[in-house]
Amino acid sequence: MNTIVDAIVLGCGGGGSAALYRLARRGLRVVGIDQFAPPHDRGSSHGETRIIRAAYFEHPDYVPLAQASWSAWRELETATGATLLEATGLAEFGPPDGIVVPGVLRAARQHNLNVHSLTPDEAATRWPALAGHGLDGVYEPDAGVLRVERCVAAHLDAARAAGAETCFSTRVSGWTCGDAIAVQAGDQEFLAERLIVTAGAWAGGLLADVGVPLTPRRQVVAWHAAGAEMAVDAGCPCFLFELPTGVFYGFPDVDGRGAKVGDHAPGAVVADPSNLDRDLHDGERLALEAFVRARLPFATPTPLRHSACMYTMSPDEHFVVDRHPSDPRVVFAAGLSGHGFKFAPVLGQALADLAVDGATSLPIGFLSLARFARADGRS
Ligand SMILES: Cc1cc2nc3c(=O)[nH]c(=O)nc-3n(C[C@H](O)[C@H](O)[C@H](O)COP(=O)(O)OP(=O)(O)OC[C@H]3O[C@@H](n4cnc5c(N)ncnc54)[C@H](O)[C@@H]3O)c2cc1C
């Protein structure tokens, strides 16, 4: 039997749950389809915590989007009664001529953000749990921790409260574009006027004809036993270190479950996102242990537990958010490249705008497909 709706959201993780909410809030009859039952731990939106920050060293154009997202997460807390965001601040350390510290300062200058430079002595006095010696430091107080699974659940709850339907544990095998868009999901067919694709690590297969490689890569994070000095209540912020061995980041102990640490370098290419290798390999463990030993004096190097996840990399590590080149009724957000979760509310809003109005007032032009065409000299 066919189900006829205004819009379908394919994939209801970080980005899709937000898009579902935004579409439902606009009064559309909308259904969200997912192969699992979000929030789940099979994709890219799990592992308890995500950092939200605005002083974006990767590209200053993300700053207004991050600021809008912060407000939107707070609004979602009000709408649902869930606690989603904890303002812990973020301390970042690196060489003065590296990528992180100069990039943070550039974004802060350009957007007049509340960011302070720190000497190693100031950092050591303020946070004995973070060993920034030998590096320059910057501190962004208006940064914090998002409870990732709770955020997905809150968007889904709010979407359902606004009238959205969900169809979970149902895999979409494809779609065809005719008078309506026909989406094949399990043994059902859904017909819609618009389709929003937010398929995370699976986007490469579903959006192959967009022509931009979207490569899933394995990431492993680990939790380490930590002293009271690393607790949020003790004022320990989130942290990020640019080191000769890579960029390592982590979280204070937010709920007595340990300090979480990750290596930001994209890991091995994942051939099949449905069969992710979830082990912590010796090389990964040793890299995390070496980081903890060198930079987190109140944490125990041997991990308590770990979790595997995926980054979906675009060629330039910036998101790709646009209308599909072969049918503008299909819109997508893909290639979130390991830094997309914080933006879920604005991505959801942008996708809803693109799907319904064909354009958005949000400043997402730098994330459009056109940049790849330009790089090829095609337009
Ligand atoms: C270890 C790690 C740490 C990170 N840290 C941060 C951070 O600190 N801050 C930050 O902002 N970002 C961070 N990120 C990145 C961020 O988590 C991701 O960019 C974001 O969660 C991706 O959301 P998504 O909606 O694209 O994917 P997902 O949340 O994985 O959602 C995709 C959904 O699509 C569904 N789906 C796919 N194909 C189909 C199909 N054919 N049929 C039905 N359903 C389908 C999947 O089941 C899934 O539920 C991190 C990522 C990882 C892995």
Side-chain angles (χ1 to χ4, degrees), residues 11 14-15 34-35 40 44-45 50-51 172 202 309 339-342:
D34 202 289
Q35 61 192 340
H40 59 77
S44 304
S45 300
R50 291 290 183 272
I51 297 174
V172 170
W202 289 264
C309 189
H339 58 113
F341 192 82
K342 64 184 78 61

Side-chain angles (χ1 to χ4, degrees), residues 10-16 33-36 38 40 43-45 50-51 170-172 198-200 202 206 219 221 249 251 309-311 336 338-342:
L10 193 179
C12 295
I33 308 176
D34 202 289
Q35 61 192 340
F36 303 120
H40 59 77
S44 304
S45 300
R50 291 290 183 272
I51 297 174
T170 303
R171 198 178 78 82
V172 170
T198 40
W202 289 264
L206 291 163
Q219 298 301 127
V221 294
Y249 65 92
F251 299 78
C309 189
M310 287 173 279
Y311 285 180
L336 303 191
H339 58 113
F341 192 82
K342 64 184 78 61

